[in-house]
Amino acid sequence: DYRLFMKKRIAELLEGQKMLLEALANRAEKDVDVFIPGFTHLQHAQPISLGHFWMAYFWKFHRDLVRLSAALDTTDLNPLGAGALAGTTLPIDRHVTTRLLGFAGVTENSLDTVSDRDYLLEFLFAASTFMLHVSRLCEDLIIWNTSEFDFIELPDAFCTGSSMMPNKKNPDALELMRGKTSGVLAALQDLMVNLKGLPLTYNRDLQEDKRPVFHALKTVGEVLGLLPSLLTEIKIKEASLQPHLEKGFLLATDVAEYLVEKGVPFRETHHIVGQAVQQCLAKGTGFEGLSLAEWQSFHGAIQEDLFPRLTIEAAVDRRKSFGGTARSEVKRQIDAARSSIS
């Protein structure tokens, strides 16, 4: 009964995950021409296509779907006929019940069958990594929704007002999904700790396998019912994004790589561009405020051909390495994503 139940529920969750992947692919296609700062250490690092950001989460959730599919394969084995632990003397045919109940195969060993809860652990691990990715996405969007960042506007249906302050629009749905992640992670730990000291075969401890699994099923199902719609309805505040693209010297690595192409070792270009940044900070300007003469004071290899590279669009589209943020690469990823969903 438990295996049949889990087969049905996992299949439902797989359909929900496909809807989430479709929402992310659609979002990436819509936002491929929007540029945002990418971050390391939560500091401005390099410019990227927003479509590239959405596709990053697409591939995380794609791996989650693969893991959940593998958990379904592990679940889809017929345990009937193992008896209490040793099989039976009665003339049964376990392959008949396997066919009648629609299982893909039959378990091999009666002792293992009675004691096995690996298929539940695999589901809980798949659920846990899925919720970890949900929580990270929620955190990104919560940060982007702050007045300090102001990258996005969340749909009203997924927010609430403050109980005291009438000016507030709080990202409650995102915060709740982030908060509910801990319960799914705890469910995996719960069942692992339950199993760790059990001798073969059955022990009454095993009836406690329902609580964590049912909790995880409920939570993941609720998230999958919510997240695709939320992602679809987010509004990107492009006017608010522009000032962020002018902060943090996002094109510093582009200058360093330009010098590498001129034959300067990267260990030197790193220092050279650092000097240029210091000069800009002293002048209160960005790279666009430096003249060719000032650039050449840092290194003589710098020529006029540097300046066409010092745009956000050029910086994004020159990153054409496989999996990079160039719009051509993001579009390739979207095509690959749609084929994978199909």
Side-chain angles (χ1 to χ4, degrees):
D1 285 347
Y2 207 174
R3 285 178 180 265
L4 289 170
F5 170 79
M6 289 302 295
K7 280 181 59 177
K8 180 180 178 182
R9 293 303 305 275
I10 291 173
E12 293 169 354
L13 295 180
L14 285 169
E15 289 303 311
Q17 288 195 342
K18 289 177 186 177
M19 290 178 62
L20 175 58
L21 293 179
E22 288 172 356
L24 284 164
N26 291 339
R27 189 82 243 189
E29 190 167 49
K30 181 178 180 179
D31 296 333
V32 69
D33 293 321
V34 177
F35 302 134
I36 65 169
F39 296 88
T40 63
H41 308 279
L42 208 56
Q43 298 183 74
H44 288 62
Q46 294 177 340
I48 60 171
S49 161
L50 179 53
H52 194 50
F53 172 87
W54 296 124
M55 288 309 299
Y57 277 103
F58 175 95
W59 296 116
K60 290 181 189 297
F61 288 123
H62 183 274
R63 292 194 297 272
D64 291 330
L65 185 146
V66 171
R67 275 186 283 266
L68 191 57
S69 297
L72 180 58
D73 291 340
T74 306
T75 302
D76 198 11
L77 297 174
N78 179 21
L80 285 180
L85 75 161
T88 179
T89 63
L90 299 175
I92 65 170
D93 186 340
R94 297 186 64 205
H95 298 283
V96 170
T97 52
T98 297
R99 289 194 300 272
L100 292 174
L101 292 172
F103 282 107
V106 60
T107 58
E108 292 283 351
N109 179 285
S110 61
L111 295 174
D112 177 47
T113 300
V114 173
S115 62
D116 172 40
R117 295 298 182 273
D118 289 3
Y119 69 102
L120 300 176
L121 288 176
E122 291 192 21
F123 161 71
L124 288 173
F125 180 73
S128 294
T129 55
F130 169 76
M131 288 301 298
L132 280 174
H133 293 148
V134 168
S135 186
R136 293 184 70 176
L137 174 57
C138 290
E139 176 71 2
D140 275 322
L141 297 178
I142 289 166
I143 291 171
W144 286 8
N145 185 62
T146 62
S147 55
E148 289 78 11
F149 278 72
D150 203 28
F151 285 10
I152 60 173
E153 180 181 349
L154 295 173
D156 289 348
F158 299 92
C159 300
T160 68
S162 165
S163 58
M164 177 183 288
M165 295 164 283
N167 58 309
K168 298 293 291 299
K169 179 181 173 181
N170 297 325
D172 282 24
L174 293 172
E175 291 176 349
L176 286 167
M177 285 188 279
R178 184 179 61 181
K180 286 180 176 293
T181 298
S182 61
V184 179
L185 302 185
L188 174 60
Q189 182 75 356
D190 184 337
L191 186 55
M192 291 178 73
V193 172
N194 183 310
L195 295 171
K196 72 173 183 61
L198 297 184
L200 296 184
T201 53
Y202 185 74
N203 302 272
R204 183 63 73 180
D205 313 52
L206 290 172
Q207 75 175 22
E208 294 300 309
D209 61 2
K210 313 298 184 298
R211 181 190 62 256
V213 171
F214 290 178
H215 176 78
L217 284 168
K218 181 175 185 292
T219 300
V220 173
E222 289 173 344
V223 168
L224 287 171
L226 188 71
L227 191 53
S229 298
L230 190 156
L231 292 172
T232 300
E233 296 179 36
I234 286 174
K235 294 180 181 177
I236 309 302
K237 302 173 78 170
E238 293 191 51
S240 298
L241 280 169
Q242 187 57 39
H244 287 274
L245 295 170
E246 299 168 4
K247 297 177 182 178
F249 299 96
L250 292 175
L251 306 182
T253 307
D254 295 80
V255 179
E257 291 178 348
Y258 166 85
L259 285 167
V260 170
E261 291 178 21
K262 297 289 185 177
V264 183
F266 186 82
R267 64 182 178 276
E268 294 180 26
T269 72
H270 192 281
H271 176 68
I272 292 164
V273 178
Q275 290 180 310
V277 169
Q278 291 299 320
Q279 176 84 343
C280 289
L281 290 172
K283 292 182 63 175
T285 185
F287 286 150
E288 71 283 353
L290 297 180
S291 67
L292 178 59
E294 286 175 302
W295 277 112
Q296 289 181 333
S297 71
F298 304 125
H299 199 283
I302 298 176
Q303 301 297 324
E304 293 274 1
D305 59 349
L306 170 64
F307 295 108
R309 299 192 183 197
L310 297 181
T311 69
I312 296 297
E313 184 172 343
V316 170
D317 283 340
R318 284 177 58 82
R319 287 178 162 80
K320 296 179 181 180
S321 54
F322 190 87
T325 194
R327 285 177 287 183
S328 59
E329 265 302 293
V330 176
K331 291 173 182 177
R332 180 199 60 76
Q333 287 186 56
I334 294 169
D335 289 342
R338 295 203 184 284
S339 296
S340 179
I341 293 171
S342 297

